Amino acid sequence: MAGMLCVALLLTSLIWSATPTAGLAGDGHRQQQLTALPPRGWNSYDSFSWIIDEAAFLDNARIIANRLLPHGYQYAVIDFLWYRTIAAGSGVGAYGFDSMDQWGRPYPDPQRFPSGRGGGGFRPIADKVHATGLKFGIHLMNGISTQAVNANMPILDVRTGKAYVENGRQWRARDIGLTHRTCAWMPKGFMSVNTDLGAGRAFLRSLYRQYADWGVDFVKLDCIFGTDYSPKEIVTVSEILKELERPVVLSISPGTAVTPALAENITQHVDMYRVTGDDWDSWKDVRPHFDVARSFAAANKIGAPGLRGRSWPDLDMLPFGWLTDAGANQGPHRTTSLTFDEQTTQMVLWSMAKSPLMYGGDLRRLDDRTFNLITHPTLLKINHHTRNNMEFGYIHSERASKPDEQSDLSKSGYPIDVTNNGGMVLGLSTCSDKSAGGWHSSSEDRICRSYGIQNGNASFCKSKAKLLPTSDGVTMSSEEDQAKFHLADIDTDDGCLDASVSPWRTSSASQTPMFSACERHTKQVWELTENGQLVSSYSGLCATMQSSKEGENETTGARAWTAIGDKAGEIYVAIFNLDTARRKITVSVPDLEKVVRRKLARCTCTEVWSRKRWSVMKGGISAVVTSHGSMLFEIRC
């Protein structure tokens, strides 16, 4: 079956979803504040990778409804490749195994989701999910299927129910697919759509109209953010969702290399957006979230205006319980590798940062301790009903024991980051960022960026390499394209500088961009502008140089967050030990009073886990915290 085009030509049975009147926009839903609070739910990826089927999904949905819905977990989401057949040769990077309808739109794999065989798509499953009181969500890849483009399938015009015609001719998939912008980490799967064309917008309109007709309430749109940044497509999808009669929550991904500057012009068009790489069940993955959460809180991005109410920086799913592995062709088969202290720390940070809470483990094996953690009333209250959530910097800490060598962060399975140059590291940002300039050509074959160091200046240089043909086999020959190039490392043979990374690289992996084997893809194509910016041809983002702070807090090893409750006199303080040894952490009460803007002498302070009362009269809240552990204090005045 490998390499064959698997197209479900559901001609007559899908006409109902192509009628001109289906899903027309109304005014009543537009002001609904669906995301006034951070969304909560369950996503299939951490436990099933891409192989979830109808029975397993509905089993999990019933458990969400019975056990988690009373605690605000309301979305049941099928993650990626629900249209791909499980067969020999199939997998994440495979081609030719996807089901589509006659308009080139992905259709649920009939083997895994048999209820869709009659032409209803996900409607039968959505109806069952809705009957339990839950909302139904699916994962989507950005753009159009490579299979649809190769087959040159017609585009549906939802206004007529027929093939899209403009300027006297019928438009097809090859007219709108941007073959030079296939998804960097799934190039055989999907490519961007030309949204400048009426036909491109018509395809996307037909896509999301169909999902609304299926009863979809939530879409997680992937390969469109982070290092796969495509702002025009984000805005186009957002505008199309506003047209629909059915309100649909929009989540975008991945979050690799996302900064507040990158999110600046996007947050109002979405409801939640990933701000880190994939978070799996490793402390090395959890730890970078402290820096990211701090930066988005400091930039006032928590709860900023969004598509359906507010928008929320998404720290990714909670990989607790019974899991699979990243990108695996296998379902749940192992327990989380995080200790319970580490799971608690993650849950506390996610709650204090008001991240969406999407549980990832197989709920059929949900144990009581995990259930009690993800439904803890104080954590859920903080997640929804607090304000002024931020990192608190006025703490003192010292080690109370020797480091635990078993949890030494230096023992990483990830390769050394060759983009890290003597304390400086390459990054990506919007080209309006002040740090995006300063690149220059030092010779015909070198691109350099100067930066300051303690005893003077230094240069970070990469070698220009000959431009390879693009991924569609066309050699770039125009004058504009001749100004573009690959960048190779001068001293090593590590390939070409890559502006995008595989989603299977987690948040703890080396910072991006990085070097990978040279290939024919625009993710490795760069251009030096006259104003000294090094621009990625793939995402339009600019390369930056900044100080690497990795490991900076390994010696101090402590963090703290504060939040103000919705009720008068409620204050929450969380302290975190990121060290490999126990630490005594002290929160300065006088400084805390400045942050919360009230005196605390007459207030009570209770540690949430132990229920022990703490004094706030002696100038500081002090406690010894276990390695990778946390403590949460509730102050009432």
Side-chain angles (χ1 to χ4, degrees), residues 3 27 45 106 126 136 172 178 202 218 232 297 321 326 332 361 378 391 402-403 504 533 572 588 592 600:
D27 293 327
Y45 179 68
F136 176 61
R172 290 180 171 269
L178 299 178
F218 178 106
K232 290 180 67 174
T378 303
E391 185 173 279
K402 293 182 179 180
W504 324 129
Q533 293 181 327
Y572 297 93
S588 167
L592 179 60
L600 303 178

Side-chain angles (χ1 to χ4, degrees), residues 141-146 149 173-184 186-187 189-195 200 203-204 222-224 228-234 521-522 538-539:
M141 292 295 294
N142 177 47
I144 187 169
S145 165
T146 302
V149 172
R174 286 181 187 167
D175 297 318
I176 66 171
L178 299 178
T179 55
H180 66 279
R181 201 181 190 282
T182 57
C183 179
M186 197 184 286
F190 290 82
M191 66 183 68
S192 287
V193 163
N194 188 343
T195 56
F203 173 78
L204 293 176
D222 214 340
C223 202
I224 199 168
D228 303 300
Y229 188 56
S230 184
K232 290 180 67 174
E233 289 178 282
I234 294 172
H521 198 287
T522 53
Y538 175 65
S539 63

Side-chain angles (χ1 to χ4, degrees), residues 271-351:
D271 299 296
M272 49 189 276
Y273 53 101
R274 278 276 298 282
V275 293
T276 69
D278 280 6
D279 174 64
W280 278 92
D281 53 322
S282 162
W283 178 252
K284 294 190 297 292
D285 287 354
V286 175
R287 195 180 183 284
H289 289 74
F290 284 88
D291 294 333
V292 174
R294 173 184 59 197
S295 65
F296 278 86
N300 295 317
K301 291 301 180 185
I302 298 177
L307 174 62
R308 297 289 180 193
R310 298 185 181 277
S311 59
W312 306 98
D314 178 14
L315 297 179
D316 203 12
M317 291 170 281
L318 299 166
F320 305 160
W322 198 241
L323 306 173
T324 186
D325 299 305
N329 289 13
Q330 184 178 11
H333 60 276
R334 63 179 182 85
T335 57
T336 182
S337 298
L338 294 170
T339 68
F340 192 70
D341 282 336
E342 291 169 344
Q343 294 175 64
T344 301
T345 292
Q346 181 169 353
M347 187 69 187
V348 173
L349 177 63
W350 266 232
S351 298

Side-chain angles (χ1 to χ4, degrees), residues 392 394 587-596 598-600 616 618-620:
F392 178 76
Y394 302 100
V587 173
S588 167
V589 168
D591 289 316
L592 179 60
E593 290 176 331
K594 295 176 183 177
V595 170
V596 301
R598 70 176 303 150
K599 293 294 183 181
L600 303 178
V616 293
K618 300 178 179 179

Side-chain angles (χ1 to χ4, degrees), residues 127-279:
D127 286 345
K128 292 180 179 179
V129 169
H130 293 154
T132 69
L134 297 174
K135 295 183 177 181
F136 176 61
I138 58 175
H139 174 285
L140 310 172
M141 292 295 294
N142 177 47
I144 187 169
S145 165
T146 302
Q147 285 185 205
V149 172
N150 290 344
N152 203 23
M153 304 188 79
I155 296 165
L156 172 66
D157 186 342
V158 296
R159 305 181 193 280
T160 66
K162 301 176 182 179
Y164 183 82
V165 176
E166 184 181 356
N167 295 329
R169 76 176 180 95
Q170 185 182 114
W171 292 68
R172 290 180 171 269
R174 286 181 187 167
D175 297 318
I176 66 171
L178 299 178
T179 55
H180 66 279
R181 201 181 190 282
T182 57
C183 179
W185 43 271
M186 197 184 286
K188 295 180 181 179
F190 290 82
M191 66 183 68
S192 287
V193 163
N194 188 343
T195 56
D196 291 332
L197 297 174
R201 296 190 297 274
F203 173 78
L204 293 176
R205 185 173 290 110
S206 75
L207 199 65
Y208 289 94
R209 181 70 56 82
Q210 174 168 266
Y211 298 145
D213 289 341
W214 284 352
V216 171
D217 307 293
F218 178 106
V219 292
K220 174 184 174 183
L221 184 57
D222 214 340
C223 202
I224 199 168
F225 198 44
T227 51
D228 303 300
Y229 188 56
S230 184
K232 290 180 67 174
E233 289 178 282
I234 294 172
V235 172
T236 300
V237 170
S238 181
E239 291 174 345
I240 288 171
L241 291 179
K242 290 178 184 178
E243 299 173 1
L244 301 176
E245 186 177 64
R246 183 179 196 88
V248 178
V249 169
L250 177 59
S251 168
I252 59 173
S253 192
T256 315
V258 170
T259 62
L262 187 67
E264 183 62 37
N265 297 317
I266 294 301
T267 55
Q268 65 267 37
H269 300 291
V270 303
D271 299 296
M272 49 189 276
Y273 53 101
R274 278 276 298 282
V275 293
T276 69
D278 280 6
D279 174 64

